[in-house]
Amino acid sequence: MENKKVKDAIRVIISLGLGILIFYLVYRQIDINEVKANLKTAHWGYLIFPIIICFLSTWFRAARWNMFIEPVAKVPASKNTFCAVMIGYFVNHLIPRGGEIARCAVLTKYEGIPMSELVGTVITERAFDLIVTLGIVFITVLFEHDIFAGVLGDVNILDSLTHFITNPYLWGALIIITLFIVFFKKKLAHFKFAQKFKGIGVGIWNGLKSFTKIKNKPLFILYTFLIFFMYYLMLYTTFWIFDFSKDLSLGQGLVTYVFGSLGMIVPTQGGIGAYEYMTIQALLMYGITKAQAGTFAVIAHVIEIIIYCVCGFLCTLILPVMNRNNNSTNNSESTPSNE
């Protein structure tokens, strides 16, 4: 147990340190005075929109999670699932990937659902979300192909990719690796990296299979669409805060959203640094200056962090109050009668 705590602490320190380093490298090239000037002209009243949208996206995610839980356990109360998801977001900003376990622990405590069953639903949910995210990236490239074609053309990545794919040494190496895996798969199965790859593959497959167990599939699809649409709207309405970004189109907002999402994949604490870098790169393509892009990126990220952390913390305080009657009932039922 102690070793695990030490490893978790080291992972958090490394993740946070990497994020701070990337953040420093990104913003040391930006004039802080320009950032301050941009902040002074911001229209902070528009903050109400990201806040409302954040609550809506969390409610849709909670409702969809209940649909994942329904085939394997009793359906939790919506208020508990909502708070569990919000607490999960909160913990994710403190401990990388810790939010998934935290939100399961909340429902185990207040709904009595076994942790093992809840963890399974979270794994399948994440696998399903990965598939949806890849779909969003594909759609974005499809609708904003001119932008991506320009970026790809600038670095000649298409020619490099063609040369790479047609390289005979590549295919020879792939054949050797495949044969090695086939003949030594039992021995390789004991290695951690092999177990992780297998876990990812199984998770994605289970995510696809779990869809067949959902009772109301059209509603499930609607919730999924609304979750990601709310994520996008949360970013897009943040554009309205600044004069330099308020006129960006829906398509440009989608490209910025995708770039920012890719930044969140980098293993830094809460995407710190990586999110700002990717968002800045997206906005620079639309003629926005580096100082303006840097201002928007940090404010958009800070808004998200504050909303999730404040709301998640408040949920940890109100959950015992909301479930006080349930706890009293459970305690009275568990107390043996004197008769």
Side-chain angles (χ1 to χ4, degrees):
M1 182 63 72
E2 291 297 327
N3 289 336
K4 185 179 184 303
K5 289 182 179 179
V6 171
K7 289 181 180 179
D8 290 341
I10 293 174
R11 187 168 65 248
V12 170
I13 292 171
I14 293 175
S15 177
L16 181 60
L18 178 62
I20 293 174
L21 176 61
I22 296 174
F23 188 90
Y24 167 74
L25 294 175
V26 170
Y27 280 89
R28 70 173 180 171
Q29 303 174 1
I30 296 176
D31 189 341
I32 298 301
N33 291 325
E34 289 187 48
V35 173
K36 291 179 180 178
N38 292 329
L39 293 176
K40 289 180 180 179
T41 60
H43 308 288
W44 298 111
Y46 285 110
L47 276 176
I48 188 64
F49 293 107
I51 293 173
I52 293 174
I53 292 168
C54 173
F55 277 92
L56 288 174
S57 69
T58 305
W59 189 91
F60 289 134
R61 180 169 286 282
R64 194 189 66 167
W65 189 23
N66 275 353
M67 298 184 75
F68 271 115
I69 295 172
E70 186 177 12
V72 298
K74 70 171 185 177
V75 179
S78 297
K79 62 181 181 181
N80 287 337
T81 312
F82 175 87
C83 286
V85 173
M86 196 64 84
I87 290 172
Y89 286 137
F90 172 42
V91 174
N92 270 338
H93 285 92
L94 301 177
I95 305 173
R97 308 307 176 196
E100 281 72 14
I101 299 299
R103 62 169 165 145
C104 292
V106 169
L107 291 190
T108 297
K109 179 178 180 180
Y110 292 104
E111 294 287 346
I113 303 174
M115 176 73 83
S116 58
E117 294 182 355
L118 291 172
V119 170
T121 64
V122 170
I123 292 173
T124 56
E125 182 191 40
R126 287 305 184 192
F128 197 86
D129 285 347
L130 174 61
I131 297 169
V132 174
T133 300
L134 293 175
I136 292 173
V137 173
F138 175 78
I139 293 173
T140 304
V141 174
L142 186 65
F143 280 92
E144 293 291 323
H145 61 278
D146 292 339
I147 287 292
F148 285 91
V151 173
L152 295 176
D154 289 341
V155 297
N156 295 320
I157 194 170
L158 293 179
D159 292 337
S160 300
L161 185 61
T162 301
H163 178 73
F164 179 74
I165 293 175
T166 57
N167 192 323
Y169 294 105
L170 169 67
W171 290 102
L174 288 176
I175 292 173
I176 293 173
I177 292 172
T178 302
L179 292 174
F180 182 80
I181 292 173
V182 170
F183 286 107
F184 297 98
K185 61 181 180 180
K186 290 185 178 180
K187 292 184 177 180
L188 290 173
H190 297 291
F191 289 94
K192 287 187 177 181
F193 75 89
Q195 293 172 359
K196 287 185 177 180
F197 276 111
K198 181 180 179 181
I200 293 172
V202 171
I204 293 174
W205 177 245
N206 288 339
L208 291 172
K209 289 197 302 182
S210 65
F211 181 71
T212 61
K213 300 178 182 179
I214 302 296
K215 293 183 178 180
N216 192 339
K217 293 179 177 59
L219 183 61
F220 177 86
I221 294 173
L222 176 62
Y223 280 151
T224 301
F225 169 78
L226 289 173
I227 289 167
F228 286 91
F229 184 61
M230 291 296 112
Y231 289 162
Y232 162 70
L233 276 186
M234 190 172 173
L235 174 78
Y236 188 76
T237 53
T238 307
F239 283 159
W240 302 345
I241 295 175
F242 301 101
D243 290 331
F244 58 77
S245 59
K246 65 180 182 181
D247 293 325
L248 290 174
S249 68
L250 294 172
Q252 292 167 339
L254 187 58
V255 171
T256 306
Y257 167 75
V258 168
F259 270 61
S261 299
L262 293 175
M264 296 297 288
I265 296 175
V266 178
T268 62
Q269 192 72 19
I272 295 173
Y275 173 85
E276 282 78 9
Y277 173 78
M278 292 300 293
T279 302
I280 289 171
Q281 298 310 305
L283 294 175
L284 289 177
M285 293 189 295
Y286 301 118
I288 292 177
T289 68
K290 198 161 191 176
Q292 291 172 338
T295 304
F296 175 85
V298 72
I299 290 301
H301 201 181
V302 167
I303 288 172
E304 176 189 327
I305 292 173
I306 290 176
I307 292 174
Y308 284 131
C309 288
V310 171
C311 294
F313 177 72
L314 291 176
C315 281
T316 62
L317 298 179
I318 65 175
L319 263 174
V321 177
M322 291 193 303
N323 290 275
R324 184 166 48 196
N325 293 334
N326 292 342
N327 292 337
S328 299
T329 301
N330 292 335
N331 291 335
S332 63
E333 290 178 352
S334 61
T335 302
S337 175
N338 294 327
E339 294 180 4

